[in-house]
Structures are given as structure tokens and as C-alpha cells.
């Protein structure tokens, strides 16, 4: 992300600079069109598809539950809902950037490199924190923490509660919004491949858990991963404000390795043991049952490959930090030696003071 230079001259309408500077206002107008569509009977049916969640099923009250329950499943209309909330994500991104991060940047006077990294960590730390708290509240309310067998029990999990579906829709919308943000934030060409890789990995795994009806397992793994990533980005924010702050990275390094181990353990336990012992192991697209051997191997292979890739990036990051620390340490010791050698003795300072008094 480059630093935006405000100029007195207004760029031409619909030019590159005009779209970049006013993209939040443009997207807000597009989102308002869908909201205004709800007010008129002619357009309400089409606008509802974009604004509200679709494919709800009302389950009547039974002896076990005295109240009627509304559950949801997925379908093609979810793409319209994801598109609308992608617009909302772009607007929220611009609000955080303008009213929080830009003000801090002006006070701290960061360099161009630190400026882009600070903006990235600021946006992601806010998203990870919000998603982690939201996901943890769903885990507690649905009793997934107290009953680990719920990760594979009663698979396929085709019907999910409102909060669960809205969580997945919001996650997909956020990571889809990251694609146009590469243009809006003027991301450097050398940074685009790295950004595309991790955006693609998020979309692949979140969409895979949503489509393959592994929403319970996906939610647990997302909360675990987001918590570790939040620690990294919040530590990087503190590091930019004070470069002596290194404790956060040490805590993150330990939790990162533990997070990868827990991810593999939960995945193998759910897919390799829980679903492998299920009675219904027939591929059925109508009921959303994908519990067959090839499906289980593909899921575990994708999770293991992603964890291995992340560990490889983590090891390279730690080696780079170790090299920087080892290269800077001799220079600091050399500076201390020079300053200590250049200090005058007590006798020399006394003689100097006498000369100054004279």
C-alpha cells in the first residue's frame, strides 16, 4: 500500500485517481441502491436476495425443544449475499483506514515500508479480533466446546443456525473484498503474489468447509487460527511503535507451533477417525453427504499441505529474524566499545573543568 498524497487538484471523473480516492463513496452508493430496493414492492424481492440470508427452514417445536427453530442451508443465492457484504467490507475497511490508521500514521511518521505494513496489520488485527470473538461466542452457544464429538456427529451438517451461516457469509465476503483492495490501496507489484496466495488459501478452505458441510470443524479451526494471527499482527503494531518490543513475537512463535499441532490433531480426529467410523459413507449430493474415502483423503491432504506451507514460511521468518539480530549485535557492541573508549577519565574531566573555570 502506498502513501496517498493529497493534492489540491481534483482528478478527472472516473479516472484511476478518482476511483482510488473516492472508492468508499462509490461503493456506499452501490450498497444504498440495494437497501433502497427494500422499500419498494417491485424491487424488494430482488433486493432481499442480496441483503438477507436465504434458504431458511423452520423446524416446528418438539418434546426436546419447546420453541420453533430456524435453520439454514447453502445455495447459489448465497453468492448475491456475499457480494453485498463484500461491499460492506470495503466500506468498513475505508472507515478504519481513514479514521484510525491514517491518523496514527500522521503522528508516528512511518517510512513507506512501515506505513504499508502498519496498515496491513491494523486492518487484519481488527478483523481477526472481531472474527475470533464472534466465532468463540458461536462455539460456546452451540456447545461445540463441551462436546468435541459434535465436530463429526450427525454429519452432514447441512442445516446450520443463523449465526453460523452469517459468520461464513461474512468470512467469504471479507476475503473476496481483499481482491479489489489490492487496486484501491495501490499495492506494490512485488507484494501482489504474496497477497494473492494467502487470500486464495483462506477462500479455498473457508469455501471448502462451507460447501462440504464441515462447518463445525471449519469454525473451530478458524477461531484457533485467527487467535494466533491476531497475536502476530498486534505484536507487529507494538513493534512499529517501539522496536525494542520483541516479547509479543516470542509468545506468537510458541502459539503458532501449538496452533499447527492442534489443527492437525483436530483434523485427523474429525476426518480420519470420526467420519471414517460413521455408518453413512455414501456419496450423495442431494443430502450433502461427502463422507467417502476420496473426500476424506482430499480434505486431510489439503489441511496437511497448508500447515506444512505455513511452517515453512514460519521457519524462514524466524531464520531471517535470527540473522538480522546476529548481524546487528556486533555493530551495537562495536559502538559501545568506541563510546566507552572515547570517554575521558576522572582526572581528565577535572583538568578540563579547571581550564573552563579559568
Amino acid at each position: 500500500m502506498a502513501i496517498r498524497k493529497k493534492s489540491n487538484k481534483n482528478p478527472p471523473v472516473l479516472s484511476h485517481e478518482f476511483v482510488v480516492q473516492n472508492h468508499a463513496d462509490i461503493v456506499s452508493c452501490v450498497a444504498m441502491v440495494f437497501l433502497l430496493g427494500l422499500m419498494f414492492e417491485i424491487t424488494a424481492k430482488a433486493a432481499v436476495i442480496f441483503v438477507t440470508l436465504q434458504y431458511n427452514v423452520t423446524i416446528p417445536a418438539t418434546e426436546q425443544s419447546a420453541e420453533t427453530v430456524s435453520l439454514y442451508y447453502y445455495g447459489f443465492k448465497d453468492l448475491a449475499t456475499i457480494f453485498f457484504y463484500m461491499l460492506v467490507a470495503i466500506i468498513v475497511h475505508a472507515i478504519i483506514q481513514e479514521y484510525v490508521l491514517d491518523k496514527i500514521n500522521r503522528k508516528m511518521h512511518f517510512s513507506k515500508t512501515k506505513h504499508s505494513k502498519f496498515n496491513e496489520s491494523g486492518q487484519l488485527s481488527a478483523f481477526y479480533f472481531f472474527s475470533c470473538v464472534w466465532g468463540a461466542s458461536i462455539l460456546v452457544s452451540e456447545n461445540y466446546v463441551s462436546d468435541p464429538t459434535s465436530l463429526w456427529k450427525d454429519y452432514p451438517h447441512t442445516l446450520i443456525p443463523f449465526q453460523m451461516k452469517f459468520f461464513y457469509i461474512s468470512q467469504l465476503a471479507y476475503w473476496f473484498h481483499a481482491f479489489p483492495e489490492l487496486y484501491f490501496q495501490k499495492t506494490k507489484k512485488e507484494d501482489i503474489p504474496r497477497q494473492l496466495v494467502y487470500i486464495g488459501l483462506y477462500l479455498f478452505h473457508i469455501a471448502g468447509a462451507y460447501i462440504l458441510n464441515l462447518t463445525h470443524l471449519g469454525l473451530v479451526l478458524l477461531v484457533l487460527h485467527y487467535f494466533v494471527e491476531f497475536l502476530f499482527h498486534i505484536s507487529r503494531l507494538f513493534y512499529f511503535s517501539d522496536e525494542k518490543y520483541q516479547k509479543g513475537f516470542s509468545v506468537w512463535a510458541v502459539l503458532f507451533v501449538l496452533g499447527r499441532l492442534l489443527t492437525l490433531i483436530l483434523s485427523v480426529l474429525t476426518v480420519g477417525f470420526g467420519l471414517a467410523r460413521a455408518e453413512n459413507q455414501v456419496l450423495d449430493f442431494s443430502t450433502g453427504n461427502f463422507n467417502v474415502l476420496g473426500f476424506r483423503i482430499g480434505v486431510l491432504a489439503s489441511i496437511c499441505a497448508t500447515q506444512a506451507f505455513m511452517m515453512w514460511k514460519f521457519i524462514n521468518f524466524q531464520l531471517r529474524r535470527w540473522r538480522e539480530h546476529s548481524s546487528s549485535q556486533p555493530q551495537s557492541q562495536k559502538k559501545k566499545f568506541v563510546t566507552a573508549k572515547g570517554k575521558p577519565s576522572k582526572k581528565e574531566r577535572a583538568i578540563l573543568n579547571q581550564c573552563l573555570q579559568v
Side-chain angles (χ1 to χ4, degrees):
M1 304 175 189
I3 301 175
R4 299 178 188 172
K5 296 181 180 179
K6 294 184 178 180
S7 59
N8 296 326
K9 295 182 179 180
N10 293 324
V13 179
L14 298 181
S15 64
H16 169 72
E17 286 296 327
F18 178 85
V19 174
V20 170
Q21 291 181 9
N22 302 282
H23 73 273
D25 298 328
I26 297 171
V27 173
S28 298
C29 294
V30 176
M32 285 299 298
V33 171
F34 294 106
L35 294 176
L36 289 173
L38 297 172
M39 302 175 62
F40 304 97
E41 186 177 357
I42 300 175
T43 58
K45 292 183 179 179
V48 165
I49 299 175
F50 289 88
V51 179
T52 62
L53 300 183
Q54 303 298 307
Y55 304 108
N56 63 315
V57 176
T58 302
I59 299 177
T62 59
E63 296 180 355
Q64 297 178 354
S65 60
E67 299 179 356
T68 57
V69 180
S70 294
L71 299 177
Y72 293 80
Y73 58 97
Y74 67 82
F76 287 105
K77 292 181 181 179
D78 290 341
L79 296 174
T81 312
I82 291 171
F83 174 76
F84 175 78
Y85 286 100
M86 181 188 72
L87 301 179
V88 175
I90 294 174
I91 298 170
V92 174
H93 186 113
I95 292 172
I96 295 174
Q97 184 66 43
E98 183 175 355
Y99 293 100
V100 180
L101 298 178
D102 285 347
K103 290 183 178 180
I104 298 174
N105 280 319
R106 284 192 288 268
K107 291 181 180 180
M108 300 301 294
H109 303 288
F110 291 128
S111 62
K112 289 185 177 181
T113 304
K114 284 188 176 181
H115 183 273
S116 61
K117 291 182 179 180
F118 181 85
N119 288 340
E120 180 185 5
S121 293
Q123 294 285 351
L124 289 175
S125 59
F127 168 72
Y128 287 142
F129 177 76
F130 175 75
S131 298
C132 189
V133 173
W134 187 9
S137 66
I138 297 174
L139 292 177
V140 174
S141 63
E142 298 297 328
N143 296 322
Y144 295 155
V145 178
S146 59
D147 185 15
T149 59
S150 60
L151 296 178
W152 63 83
K153 189 178 179 181
D154 298 329
Y155 179 84
H157 306 136
T158 52
L159 297 178
I160 55 179
F162 173 83
Q163 287 291 337
M164 177 83 78
K165 176 161 184 173
F166 193 32
F167 178 83
Y168 273 93
I169 293 292
S170 302
Q171 295 298 310
L172 292 170
Y174 180 86
W175 290 112
F176 271 116
H177 111 282
F179 289 117
E181 285 296 340
L182 296 176
Y183 171 75
F184 295 144
Q185 299 299 327
K186 298 181 180 179
T187 307
K188 296 179 180 179
K189 290 183 179 180
E190 57 269 20
D191 293 336
I192 289 178
R194 177 182 64 87
Q195 300 270 2
L196 291 176
V197 167
Y198 83 76
I199 293 171
L201 285 174
Y202 275 112
L203 288 173
F204 174 76
H205 287 88
I206 295 172
Y210 186 63
I211 294 172
L212 299 177
N213 295 316
L214 286 171
T215 50
H216 296 186
L217 176 63
L219 179 62
V220 174
L221 297 183
L222 274 178
V223 171
L224 177 63
H225 176 74
Y226 282 169
F227 176 72
V228 176
E229 290 298 300
F230 168 73
L231 287 179
F232 171 76
H233 287 284
I234 202 70
S235 299
R236 194 157 73 158
L237 291 176
F238 283 115
Y239 174 77
F240 290 144
S241 61
D242 184 8
E243 293 187 355
K244 294 180 180 179
Y245 183 83
Q246 298 283 346
K247 295 181 180 178
F249 290 114
S250 301
V251 176
W252 165 76
V254 176
L255 292 178
F256 182 88
V257 177
L258 293 177
R260 306 286 71 77
L261 291 175
L262 282 175
T263 299
L264 291 175
I265 291 171
L266 290 174
S267 301
V268 172
L269 183 65
T270 302
V271 181
F273 291 95
L275 295 181
R277 297 180 179 180
E279 295 180 359
N280 189 7
Q281 296 191 19
V282 179
L283 183 63
D284 190 354
F285 293 102
S286 61
T287 59
N289 185 18
F290 300 93
N291 188 14
V292 292
L293 180 61
F295 152 77
R296 294 195 298 270
I297 292 175
V299 170
L300 285 178
S302 63
I303 293 175
C304 292
T306 304
Q307 302 309 306
F309 173 75
M310 293 176 66
M311 280 300 301
W312 178 69
K313 299 286 288 184
F314 171 78
I315 292 171
N316 287 335
F317 174 76
Q318 294 298 328
L319 288 175
R320 187 169 61 251
R321 282 190 63 210
W322 178 76
R323 287 169 189 160
E324 292 174 356
H325 179 71
S326 60
S327 61
S328 62
Q329 193 171 7
Q331 294 178 358
S332 62
Q333 290 178 354
K334 187 177 180 181
K335 289 180 181 179
K336 289 180 181 178
F337 176 74
V338 171
T339 54
K341 187 177 179 181
K343 286 183 179 178
S345 62
K346 290 182 179 180
K347 292 182 179 180
E348 291 174 346
R349 279 181 293 192
I351 296 170
L352 182 62
N353 290 330
Q354 290 177 0
C355 293
L356 289 172
Q357 289 176 1
V358 173

